[in-house]
Amino acid sequence: MPSADLLSRFRDRLSLPLIAAPMFLVSGVELVVAACRNGVIGAFPTVNCRSPEQLDEWLTDIDGRLKTHSDVSGKPAAPVCANLIVHRSNARLAQDLQVLLRHRPEMVITSVGSPAPVIEPLHEAGALVFADVASIRHAERAVAAGADGLVLLTAGAGGQTGWLNPFVFVRAVRAFFDGPLVLAGGIADGHALRAAEALGCDLAYMGTKFIATRESMADERYKHMLVTSSADDILLTTAFTGLQTNMLRPSIEAAGLDPDNLPQRGAIDIAEDIDIGARENRPKRWKDIWSAGHAVSGVGELLDADEMIARTVAEYREASAHIRLG
């Protein structure tokens, strides 16, 4: 089915072809609601909730706050999108899935594994299922499993990232898949978002700039570090997770570690690598050692999500006008 047919169910509710990326320990109720009421798809990982019960509470709260919302043009809110970790290490997968099925989401993104086990029940509940992928081979497998859309993790994405150039990745996948594509990595403003569309994508992720909004759950020190950092401060390393991960060098230094002398493979036990006192006070990845994408160079100040999205809309319109004039 062509991408336009799949996305037509909610395209007119979007102010931008944009997803506020689901980010561990960052995306919560306030950020999702702010994104959706401004015409941006609001996504969050279900594991950000302490339990399946809290996931149910979050979805109920978000739905209640958005149900009667419309923006100045009268459009209803953009969709809410849950992100399911489908790897076998997620002991809550089955329970979280059942919660989602009760809430009948419009869109779900699967991560860290094949979407195959959850596609049928989510389709029966009316959801579009997008799978995030970091290689052409994984994209082919997700399409074969029945994913409706793909999130292409490219070299510029924050956190656990891809490694392919976005131009190459998008065009290679477009050669065999005509469904919805989402570009993840390097989207710092409306100009980059318009470029992603010109490349062949239907939507894009914006993550790092949403971390630096007042509605995000991120530590205030984290937010301010993003403002003072640039793309030169991003370090690609396997040291903390065992997978290729884009992390902020200043946060590694603040934890007492040398960014230029980290293990090459495998998550390190920080308490054994740094003498900082009691083990319970040791720095923790994600909570003390923070991630960001190459788009950090586009973070200039802390903003409300409303203002950040409004600026992105203006940039996107400017970029679109230039393309038409060209």
Side-chain angles (χ1 to χ4, degrees):
M1 184 178 291
S3 59
D5 292 338
L6 289 176
L7 299 184
S8 62
R9 64 181 73 179
F10 54 69
R11 193 184 293 279
D12 62 352
R13 291 154 53 194
L14 303 181
S15 61
L16 291 165
L18 188 64
I19 300 173
M23 295 173 286
F24 185 52
L25 301 182
V26 170
S27 307
V29 171
E30 296 301 325
L31 185 55
V32 170
V33 169
C36 293
R37 63 182 170 78
N38 280 284
V40 171
I41 297 169
F44 71 98
T46 64
V47 293
N48 276 3
C49 303
R50 293 188 303 272
S51 65
E53 290 75 22
Q54 187 178 50
L55 174 59
D56 182 68
E57 293 170 3
W58 276 28
L59 289 169
T60 300
D61 186 15
I62 292 168
D63 181 61
R65 292 167 66 177
L66 294 176
K67 185 170 292 183
T68 58
H69 170 80
S70 61
D71 65 15
V72 292
S73 64
K75 294 189 297 187
V80 176
C81 178
N83 173 214
L84 270 178
I85 306 301
V86 294
H87 192 267
R88 60 181 178 275
S89 62
N90 180 12
R92 278 177 38 190
L93 174 58
Q95 293 171 290
D96 285 358
L97 176 61
Q98 290 306 310
V99 173
L100 293 181
L101 296 178
R102 290 199 299 273
H103 283 267
R104 301 185 67 82
E106 294 182 83
M107 183 176 176
V108 172
I109 296 169
T110 65
S111 298
V112 200
S114 171
V118 301
I119 285 179
E120 183 176 354
L122 286 170
H123 279 172
E124 289 177 354
L128 293 178
V129 181
F130 284 59
D132 69 14
V133 295
S135 71
I136 295 169
R137 179 169 60 90
H138 288 147
E140 291 170 339
R141 289 181 175 180
V143 171
D148 299 299
L150 301 174
V151 178
L152 306 184
L153 300 178
T154 72
Q160 292 180 346
T161 185
W163 50 87
L164 288 174
N165 176 287
F167 292 95
V168 173
F169 201 3
V170 173
R171 297 317 303 166
V173 174
R174 267 288 171 243
F176 63 85
F177 181 62
D178 66 355
L181 291 184
V182 183
L183 178 63
I187 304 299
D189 56 28
H191 295 275
L193 179 58
R194 188 67 186 89
E197 282 189 310
L199 189 58
C201 293
D202 301 273
L203 301 163
Y205 266 12
M206 183 178 283
T208 300
K209 289 190 77 171
F210 276 107
I211 303 173
T213 60
R214 294 189 173 89
E215 291 83 355
S216 92
M217 299 192 301
D219 187 298
E220 290 301 312
R221 297 170 300 158
Y222 185 3
K223 297 179 184 182
H224 286 284
M225 186 175 289
L226 293 173
V227 173
T228 58
S229 296
S230 76
D232 286 346
D233 293 305
I234 302 302
L235 176 67
L236 182 65
T237 176
T238 61
F240 300 104
T241 69
L243 298 173
Q244 296 278 8
T245 308
N246 277 324
M247 308 296 278
L248 279 165
R249 293 177 65 97
S251 69
I252 298 171
E253 293 168 346
L257 297 169
D258 182 356
D260 295 318
N261 289 285
L262 296 173
Q264 292 300 307
R265 172 65 63 178
I268 62 175
D269 184 341
I270 299 173
E272 294 177 359
D273 290 327
I274 175 172
D275 181 12
I276 59 168
R279 287 183 63 86
E280 60 269 19
N281 293 325
R282 71 188 187 277
K284 300 177 179 64
R285 59 180 179 269
W286 311 124
K287 290 188 177 181
D288 300 295
I289 299 176
W290 299 313
S291 68
H294 293 176
V296 70
S297 282
V299 180
E301 59 184 313
L302 299 182
L303 295 170
D304 293 332
D306 292 7
E307 175 63 21
M308 196 273 282
I309 294 171
R311 292 186 185 183
T312 307
V313 169
E315 294 159 353
Y316 177 79
R317 289 174 177 168
E318 180 183 9
S320 299
H322 287 169
I323 289 174
R324 286 195 296 270
L325 290 173

